[in-house]
Amino acid sequence: MARRITWFSLLALVLFLSACSSNSNDGGSAGSGSPSGSSSSEASPTPGDPTQADFSEPVKLKLVFYTGQSKRMAELAGNELKDLVKKEINAELEFVYLPWSEYGGGKTDLMLSSGEEFAAYTDINYLSKSVSKGLYADLTPYVDAYAPDLKSNVAAASFDAFKLNGKQYAIPVGNRASSAAFYSVMVRQDLLEEVGMTSIGSLADLEQYYDKVHAKYPDMIGFASADATYMLMYEYTDKNLNWINNFIAVNEADQDDKLISWYESPEFKKYADLMNGWYKKGIIPKYAVTNQPQLMSDWNAGKAMFFTGTATRPIEGIAGITKAVPTAKLQNYFLSKNDRPKISRGTYNTAYFVSANAKHPERYVAFFNLLQKNQELYDFFTYGIKDKDYTLDENGRVTKLTSDLFFDDWMMMNDKFMRFEKSVPDDFIEQYKHWDDDAILSKTAGFNFDNTAVKNEESKLNGVFTELVAPIASGFVDYDTHFPKTLQKLKEAGLDKYIAEYQKQFSAWYASKAE
């Protein structure tokens, strides 16, 4: 999840209930018996050589996930998964499940600072902060030796994205079309057609869709989120903006290293005014101020009209919604995008760090390798046991025999192994295959910020963001009334120093790429 994390964006992580492609990968087999695909008895480990670790002794690995464990996953973990991991890397897995509110802080921070040994997801910003505190293990010595298959099946640029000062601090997983994530609006196509419309092409169309559906179903909410920064971007600016974090954006249309102080920009005011208008109109429900999780609950229950979209999101949550509304259909649309190219931050889905105190970081890396090693293991981790948890037809389309989740599909997705369910239309698959055709790689891709010089300022700014900025950004309060005081607080917290340090590091990095 190496993407901009806001106060609400963690709620946007819905489960992808699909996959595609029946082609197997030739890189190894499920029963190779060692992390590199060769027998672990072929060579004796060399003392002090990290590429020759001793796998003869069993070890325990702790994995933290930010979702609940299904009953079927618990059964698999105690049986087939346990046996497979023992056979492949001579390890035993312990799973810890935390709510998403603990991601990128909270209990995760406490576990890291107390020296616990575990592995979990990370994003680029969280990586930079944690590495500066010495909380992540340097995994550089282990990647080539213990993740050869993953390196073949995940783009090299994805590995580069999680390097800091040339060292690998997290292992990326996934390889899929992912440009313009959250820049599209995903609407209930069935409702759109029900009120006599066929498509959405602008903000005016979207609001007309809301008005018509609201007139017919007044109890439905409009937008099932409180963050449309990306989704509305094409409407409030002619730039092609991309955000490094909550405070800093870049214009991808310009070939330069200029950073934009987002909250001081005229574009932020335009965006905040749009959101405030939505809030006053009821498109964002009033309860969102105090009960944001309810927005996602309403979406999953089929009680919301639209949400932020991604390349795959129209089928990510359709299984859940159709339980409540069997006729529901979902479709992505861009609002006044015109000829602006989609922005890609990389093709990875997420990345795993290993805590600094881990006794066997190489064994964690060897486990990550299994997740994207070949088709057989991909199917196992994603769908479970063939003919018990899922079946495949002659075209490689998958039918799930259980609604229980295994390893989250959104995390596993890799174009080399993905499968789609039979219910997914052929035209959607074709659209997905061409989603990235007009994409450009962000000029920030591969840049990681070292916050050592501004850690105090960053902490204070995050506090101001939560207390004062987020309500303005979500439209809950009026920009003109509340922003002058908010900007003063941001300045007092060190906004100028923080952005200057970011600019200094980014400019140096940007210049080095041209050398």
Side-chain angles (χ1 to χ4, degrees):
M1 300 157 324
R3 56 173 69 114
R4 176 175 172 266
I5 300 297
T6 69
W7 72 323
F8 189 80
S9 62
L10 292 178
L11 295 177
L13 293 166
V14 293
L15 300 172
F16 175 82
L17 301 174
S18 65
C20 90
S21 174
S22 59
N23 297 329
S24 296
N25 178 270
D26 295 330
S29 63
S32 62
S34 77
S36 61
S38 59
S39 172
S40 58
S41 62
E42 288 179 4
S44 299
T46 303
D49 183 353
T51 67
Q52 295 292 321
D54 184 3
F55 277 56
S56 64
E57 292 296 323
V59 300
K60 289 187 176 182
L61 308 178
K62 181 186 291 187
L63 300 174
V64 173
F65 294 103
Y66 301 92
T67 183
Q69 185 182 49
S70 69
K71 180 180 178 181
R72 184 70 187 100
M73 179 59 186
E75 293 173 352
L76 198 75
N79 295 285
E80 293 91 346
L81 177 57
K82 179 180 179 180
D83 294 342
L84 183 142
V85 175
K86 173 68 175 177
K87 177 182 179 181
E88 289 281 342
I89 62 172
N90 198 16
E92 179 181 334
L93 302 181
E94 175 188 353
F95 295 98
V96 176
Y97 292 89
L98 300 175
W100 274 109
S101 58
E102 304 301 323
Y103 169 80
K107 191 168 183 179
T108 307
D109 270 357
L110 291 175
M111 293 172 68
L112 282 167
S113 59
S114 65
E116 280 195 51
E117 174 179 331
F118 68 103
Y121 311 146
T122 189
D123 59 78
I124 292 172
N125 290 326
Y126 192 45
L127 177 143
S128 298
K129 297 173 186 177
S130 300
V131 170
S132 71
K133 299 175 184 176
L135 300 177
Y136 284 9
D138 176 10
L139 303 178
T140 312
Y142 314 112
V143 176
D144 289 343
Y146 305 112
D149 306 292
L150 192 146
K151 279 196 70 178
S152 295
N153 296 321
V154 174
S158 297
F159 282 85
D160 291 341
F162 294 93
K163 288 180 179 178
L164 193 60
N165 298 323
K167 296 182 178 180
Q168 192 79 52
Y169 285 102
I171 306 299
V173 172
N175 196 71
R176 59 160 172 165
S178 57
S179 64
F182 314 124
Y183 283 78
S184 63
V185 57
M186 179 175 63
V187 306
R188 282 278 303 277
Q189 184 70 18
D190 55 306
L191 292 175
L192 187 72
E193 295 170 1
E194 185 178 341
V195 297
M197 299 177 69
T198 57
S199 64
I200 300 287
S202 67
L203 177 60
D205 290 343
L206 184 63
E207 293 185 351
Q208 181 185 24
Y209 161 66
Y210 169 81
D211 289 339
K212 289 186 173 185
V213 176
H214 180 67
K216 191 167 186 176
Y217 301 108
D219 292 334
M220 290 191 72
I221 68 170
F223 185 38
S225 180
D227 184 354
T229 309
Y230 295 89
M231 191 181 84
L232 295 178
M233 187 272 292
Y234 301 111
E235 290 284 348
Y236 60 74
T237 180
D238 58 0
K239 298 175 181 177
N240 204 12
L241 295 179
N242 183 25
W243 286 262
I244 292 180
N245 61 26
N246 287 327
F247 303 94
I248 301 172
V250 295
N251 183 7
E252 299 285 0
D254 292 339
Q255 301 300 311
D256 60 28
D257 62 350
K258 182 181 179 181
L259 300 183
I260 299 169
S261 179
W262 170 233
Y263 297 121
E264 296 181 272
S265 70
E267 288 83 8
F268 175 68
K269 173 175 168 46
K270 292 178 183 177
Y271 166 69
D273 287 343
L274 281 173
M275 293 297 281
N276 188 236
W278 275 14
Y279 180 69
K280 289 177 178 177
K281 188 174 182 177
I283 294 177
I284 300 172
K286 296 297 189 288
Y287 70 69
V289 176
T290 56
N291 188 14
Q292 291 175 45
Q294 186 62 40
L295 294 170
M296 181 60 70
S297 296
D298 282 346
W299 172 259
N300 289 329
K303 298 178 181 179
M305 302 178 202
F306 62 95
F307 194 38
T308 51
T310 67
T312 53
R313 187 164 277 180
I315 55 171
E316 286 176 357
I318 192 63
I321 291 177
T322 50
K323 288 179 182 178
V325 186
T327 57
K329 295 186 293 183
L330 303 176
Q331 181 63 49
N332 277 326
Y333 296 102
F334 288 96
L335 306 179
S336 303
K337 175 179 176 289
N338 300 321
D339 60 351
R340 277 176 277 187
K342 300 185 185 85
I343 303 165
S344 173
R345 302 173 189 85
T347 57
Y348 54 84
N349 304 331
T350 188
Y352 285 94
F353 71 83
V354 178
S355 59
N357 288 344
K359 297 181 180 65
H360 299 282
E362 75 287 342
R363 208 79 66 103
Y364 281 97
V365 173
F367 173 73
F368 304 149
N369 185 66
L370 299 181
L371 297 176
Q372 310 268 268
K373 184 172 184 177
N374 55 37
Q375 186 72 62
E376 183 180 354
L377 285 180
Y378 179 91
D379 289 345
F380 173 76
F381 285 112
T382 309
Y383 306 116
I385 305 299
K386 187 178 180 182
D387 297 326
K388 180 176 182 179
D389 299 308
Y390 72 97
T391 60
L392 298 175
D393 68 10
E394 64 278 6
N395 297 314
R397 293 290 194 107
V398 64
T399 297
K400 296 182 179 181
L401 304 178
T402 175
S403 60
D404 279 8
L405 298 170
F406 298 95
F407 280 68
D408 287 345
D409 291 8
W410 66 263
M411 178 191 76
M412 294 294 296
M413 290 170 58
N414 188 312
D415 285 347
K416 292 187 177 183
F417 310 124
M418 285 166 55
R419 301 187 186 278
F420 284 93
E421 295 188 62
K422 292 181 179 180
S423 59
V424 179
D426 290 338
D427 60 350
F428 177 85
I429 297 175
E430 191 64 23
Q431 180 188 64
Y432 171 78
K433 289 179 179 178
H434 295 283
W435 182 269
D436 281 349
D437 284 358
D438 70 336
I440 58 171
L441 185 65
S442 171
K443 59 185 174 184
T444 69
F447 171 70
N448 286 305
F449 179 62
D450 181 355
N451 73 339
T452 303
V454 288
K455 281 192 291 187
N456 291 335
E457 288 78 9
E458 187 173 67
S459 179
K460 292 176 183 177
L461 287 169
N462 285 331
V464 176
F465 170 80
T466 301
E467 179 185 358
L468 299 175
V469 180
I472 298 173
S474 293
F476 300 155
V477 297
D478 176 71
Y479 175 96
D480 290 330
T481 302
H482 295 272
F483 188 71
K485 175 187 175 182
T486 299
L487 181 58
Q488 179 184 345
K489 291 293 185 182
L490 287 170
K491 295 291 188 178
E492 291 172 355
L495 179 64
D496 292 340
K497 180 180 178 182
Y498 179 73
I499 291 179
E501 180 63 26
Y502 237 107
Q503 184 69 72
K504 182 180 75 172
Q505 293 187 31
F506 182 69
S507 294
W509 174 83
Y510 191 84
S512 70
K513 292 202 306 175
E515 294 176 355

